[in-house]
Amino acid sequence: CSAPPDLAMTAQATPAPGTRRRTLSGIKPTGVPHLGNYLGMIKPALALQRTHDAFYFIADYHALTTVRDPQAMREQSYDLVATFAALGMDFDAHTFFRQSDIPEVTELTWLLGCVTPFGLLERAHAFKDARAKNQDVEHGLVSYPVLMAADILIYDSHEVPVGRDQQQHLEMTRDIAQRFNHLFGETFVVPEARIEEAVATIPGIDGRKMSKSYRNDVPLFSTEKELRKTVMRIVTDSKGVEDAKDPDSDNVFQIFRHFAPPDAQKDWAARYRAGGMGYGEIKQATFEAINAEIGPMRERYFALRKDPAAMEDILARGAAKARRVARTVLNRARERCGYRPMDGTP
Ligand code: ADP
Ligand code: TRP
């Protein structure tokens, strides 16, 4: 079956000169973001504001698979509004919103679910892990990748900046989009993952991938004193001050190098290899380097974080913009399936 040519064109056409490509990403409200989220996703995503049309959102529907406390859901969502504001998201030029403010996305999830092979979902890492551990698996966890595909496809997104752990979800999104397009005619833009190799997986203070669920994270925003304390807890080997050390296998250096200028990285790497440097010293330098980058944003974070009305205002403006796009794309998909498009502008 083939689509009406005009819509096929709009879905897949390369943007005209001067038209910016759309970048979209989401992050779950599961607590104050950590340095892994910052380096792996938030910072590269925000840098794209210069060249792209950015849509970034709080994935609070996704968080419902684990967050079951309504107050935590609200408060942790605010942590993200304040984070994106402090790190320089331009809420006027771009679009920042909360997933649950856009109900269209759950409707698209159903349409996409009807063309998603169950076998695809059974291969998802999160589902396989839960099964392997004999955990009870809820439908929300199984269909998590379908909701994520809807998030991405409903805004005609071209590029999705994420950390390495999201690569499989992006591949599934592409599969689902292609299958729908094949069955119903060109409807969705087939998006691309955008993974920055250098920061694809940041280690936590115990050397495993930094993750809230491992409790090995360095929170992006805390007091200076807490930041220093956490950095001092990074696990190292037991070499003494005089021993020569290997910067490439040391957890502290893996974090340090993302915050220090190239010259400082070279100097410190040489000091590791020469011996005569203790881990306490590089931890102090790492704390200072992180603090130099994050410190200036800390005040903005805590000021906005205290102001729910201001944060709700930011979210309301974002939702209005996001819903207009979501409604247009959802209607395109509804028509393809033989349903009446919804009237009215939300
Ligand atoms: P967590 O594992 O702490 O729950 P999330 O799954 O909420 O983190 O991740 C949000 C975003 O941050 C995703 O794009 C993810 O790829 C990225 N991210 C998370 N942890 C890391 C890490 N250790 N290194 C690089 N990127 C990461
Ligand atoms: N699953 C992502 C995570 O755990 C969050 C997310 C939800 C997302 N929807 C998205 C990321 C759409 C990118 C695009 O980090």
Side-chain angles (χ1 to χ4, degrees):
C1 94
S2 69
D6 57 328
L7 281 173
M9 288 293 294
T10 52
Q12 288 298 304
T14 358
T19 315
R20 290 178 305 166
R21 281 160 68 82
R22 179 162 295 151
T23 164
L24 170 135
S25 197
I27 180 164
K28 282 182 291 181
T30 47
V32 177
H34 52 67
L35 295 185
N37 304 137
Y38 169 66
L39 294 168
M41 191 283 247
I42 307 175
K43 192 179 174 185
L46 288 176
L48 290 174
Q49 290 183 107
R50 288 194 293 272
T51 47
H52 290 62
D53 172 27
F55 273 54
Y56 298 139
F57 69 94
I58 302 165
D60 59 344
Y61 278 149
H62 277 109
L64 193 58
T65 57
T66 54
V67 179
R68 301 301 172 59
D69 169 357
Q71 175 145 2
M73 187 70 88
R74 271 189 295 273
E75 295 295 329
Q76 292 172 174
S77 297
Y78 288 152
D79 291 340
L80 291 174
V81 184
T83 297
F84 275 74
L87 299 186
M89 175 104 200
D90 180 342
F91 298 119
D92 296 321
H94 299 278
T95 307
F96 183 82
F97 59 101
R98 184 165 50 194
Q99 188 182 29
S100 62
D101 287 334
I102 321 292
E104 285 79 3
V105 79
T106 56
E107 184 180 339
L108 184 61
T109 302
W110 177 254
L111 305 191
L112 298 178
C114 289
V115 304
T116 303
F118 187 61
L120 185 78
L121 301 179
E122 278 181 310
R123 288 193 290 276
H125 300 314
F127 175 75
K128 277 181 26 186
D129 289 354
R131 264 291 157 82
K133 290 185 198 142
N134 260 324
Q135 287 167 353
D136 287 336
V137 174
E138 279 139 340
H139 176 249
L141 184 73
V142 181
S143 58
Y144 186 110
V146 188
L147 175 59
M148 184 154 159
D151 283 331
I152 298 171
L153 302 179
I154 205 164
Y155 302 107
D156 279 344
S157 315
H158 300 101
E159 292 174 33
V160 185
V162 281
R164 163 79 65 229
D165 59 350
Q166 295 300 310
Q167 186 168 9
Q168 188 192 36
H169 285 147
L170 262 294
E171 283 159 11
M172 294 169 118
T173 298
R174 291 170 57 86
D175 282 354
I176 295 170
Q178 279 159 348
R179 199 171 150 92
F180 192 101
N181 286 351
H182 176 74
L183 288 167
F184 293 104
E186 291 300 321
T187 308
F188 298 118
V189 172
V190 181
E192 281 162 38
R194 192 176 168 127
I195 298 167
E196 298 265 341
E197 275 317 314
V199 288
T201 308
I202 304 295
I205 62 172
D206 61 357
R208 292 185 293 169
K209 170 192 176 266
M210 187 178 291
S211 173
K212 270 162 276 187
S213 39
Y214 295 152
R215 297 177 188 280
N216 66 352
D217 61 309
V218 183
L220 184 55
F221 292 113
S222 58
T223 62
E224 211 172 292
K225 214 170 136 194
E226 283 162 342
L227 174 63
R228 187 167 184 283
K229 233 169 93 183
T230 317
V231 171
M232 291 298 158
R233 284 175 41 224
I234 299 177
V235 174
T236 59
D237 61 26
S238 52
K239 290 203 172 111
V241 174
E242 292 315 317
D243 298 328
K245 301 176 180 68
D246 175 20
D248 299 326
S249 62
D250 175 46
N251 295 328
V252 187
F253 195 79
Q254 298 325 302
I255 297 180
F256 175 76
R257 69 191 182 87
H258 292 294
F259 291 93
D263 281 358
Q265 290 179 42
K266 251 200 239 145
D267 291 351
W268 280 93
R271 292 190 60 194
Y272 267 79
R273 294 191 177 101
M277 178 214 74
Y279 285 120
E281 275 183 77
I282 181 66
K283 285 181 177 178
Q284 177 63 27
T286 301
F287 156 70
E288 283 167 16
I290 300 172
N291 199 45
E293 183 165 329
I294 304 303
M297 305 184 275
R298 197 180 273 130
E299 211 171 302
R300 257 188 296 167
Y301 174 84
F302 285 110
L304 186 62
R305 184 63 189 80
K306 285 198 296 248
D307 192 346
M311 292 188 286
E312 285 295 341
D313 183 57
I314 290 168
L315 291 170
R317 282 192 287 151
K321 288 195 271 179
R323 258 193 115 176
R324 275 195 293 276
V325 181
R327 181 63 74 93
T328 305
V329 179
L330 176 63
N331 273 341
R332 195 195 296 154
R334 282 177 63 101
E335 283 197 279
R336 289 284 193 272
C337 296
Y339 304 129
R340 180 180 64 79
M342 290 299 222
D343 313 316
T345 332

